[in-house]
Amino acid sequence: AQSVTQLDSQVPVFEEAPVELRCNYSSSVSVYLFWYVQYPNQGLQLLLKYLSGSTLVESINGFEAEFNKSQTSFHLRKPSVHISDTAEYFCAVTLAGYSTLTFGKGTMLLVSP
Amino acid sequence: DVKVTQSSRYLVKRTGEKVFLECVQDMDHENMFWYRQDPGLGLRLIYFSYDVKMKEKGDIPEGYSVSREKKERFSLILESASTNQTSMYLCASRSGGASYNSPLHFGNGTRLTVT
């Protein structure tokens, strides 16, 4: 079975600073990787996903993540965060051919002025 | 736009009560899921369903059951609520077939408190 590790439960950062949220997975077979975001009092919504092809994927609001097979990582980055990016971020993985997602425990991004 | 609706935002029930959490999606999706979300534990899959009347256990099915009589509706049932089932419950749906790379669409959650 696959597993996902998000090492940081909270990441405090100042507005306009860069941020990296770390995600590592354990699987020796082909995987599909996702980042979801949960804003306060809302459900989760897809931020970006890696299925195949280019290892660098981007979202419409400036986040990017890079799939690194050798390090089994899929870290999320943003060069300059906004207050509105304050939310909880979940990394998730599924194996090719499976329909269920396994989620990490989440990282709370706290952006302050 | 995709919509997953959970009938209650907040729910307070007593220990031993039978509890129904309802979820409806309007996207004609085959796959539906129930997760619970707890601080420090992330999301854990309780049950999922591939189609009407089909169900599969997730990682933590004990104390729960589900019902899917219609494609758009997926109900989570707590047969006899206990305090350790106090949690946020999230419903999600996704298109079926070879759709493991399709995104999940989530409802806004039901915060259940069992006293």
Side-chain angles (χ1 to χ4, degrees):
Chain A
Q2 68 269 29
S3 67
V4 179
T5 302
Q6 292 181 248
L7 288 170
D8 305 304
S9 59
Q10 270 193 18
V11 174
V13 65
F14 289 108
E15 194 173 19
E16 297 184 6
V19 71
E20 178 180 83
L21 306 183
R22 295 179 293 170
C23 172
N24 289 88
Y25 66 92
S26 65
S27 175
S28 59
V29 298
S30 294
V31 296
Y32 301 97
L33 295 155
F34 305 80
W35 277 99
Y36 283 81
V37 59
Q38 185 179 33
Y39 297 104
N41 298 313
Q42 294 185 25
L44 279 72
Q45 51 188 282
L46 181 70
L47 188 61
L48 46 76
K49 62 182 179 181
Y50 170 78
L51 304 179
S52 64
S54 172
T55 58
L56 185 67
V57 291
E58 298 177 354
S59 72
I60 58 173
N61 57 353
F63 282 93
E64 64 179 30
E66 186 161 19
F67 170 58
N68 188 319
K69 188 174 182 179
S70 62
Q71 297 187 6
T72 60
S73 68
F74 191 55
H75 301 331
L76 182 69
R77 302 183 182 95
K78 189 170 185 179
S80 175
V81 295
H82 302 289
I83 296 284
S84 60
D85 292 324
T86 293
E88 191 156 22
Y89 292 79
F90 293 90
C91 184
V93 63
T94 187
L95 301 180
Y98 285 72
S99 67
T100 62
L101 281 180
T102 298
F103 285 87
K105 294 182 179 180
T107 297
M108 186 68 203
L109 176 62
L110 299 165
V111 183
S112 53
Chain B
D1 198 15
V2 165
K3 198 165 179 70
V4 178
T5 303
Q6 294 184 232
S7 55
S8 302
R9 188 78 177 96
Y10 299 95
L11 212 51
V12 180
K13 296 292 182 181
R14 294 192 183 275
T15 301
E17 275 193 81
K18 190 169 186 176
V19 181
F20 293 86
L21 302 183
E22 305 289 346
C23 174
V24 177
Q25 50 96 1
D26 65 358
M27 298 157 287
D28 203 37
H29 282 167
E30 288 82 2
N31 297 343
M32 295 188 75
F33 304 81
W34 275 106
Y35 289 89
R36 65 177 282 177
Q37 182 180 11
D38 300 287
L41 297 178
L43 276 74
R44 293 178 291 168
L45 182 63
I46 305 172
Y47 267 97
F48 60 103
S49 169
Y50 289 114
D51 205 343
V52 175
K53 297 192 186 296
M54 305 291 287
K55 60 184 179 182
E56 296 283 343
K57 292 180 180 179
D59 299 318
I60 52 164
E62 295 78 20
Y64 303 94
S65 63
V66 290
S67 172
R68 188 138 181 234
E69 296 297 318
K70 293 185 177 181
K71 191 174 187 180
E72 67 270 20
R73 185 179 297 270
F74 192 35
S75 303
L76 180 69
I77 304 157
L78 286 65
E79 296 290 342
S80 176
S82 64
T83 55
N84 62 12
Q85 293 178 310
T86 291
S87 186
M88 171 69 87
Y89 290 87
L90 292 169
C91 175
S93 73
R94 183 173 61 191
S95 58
S99 63
Y100 41 80
N101 55 15
S102 298
L104 292 176
H105 299 274
F106 282 86
N108 283 339
T110 295
R111 186 168 293 282
L112 173 67
T113 302
V114 182
T115 61

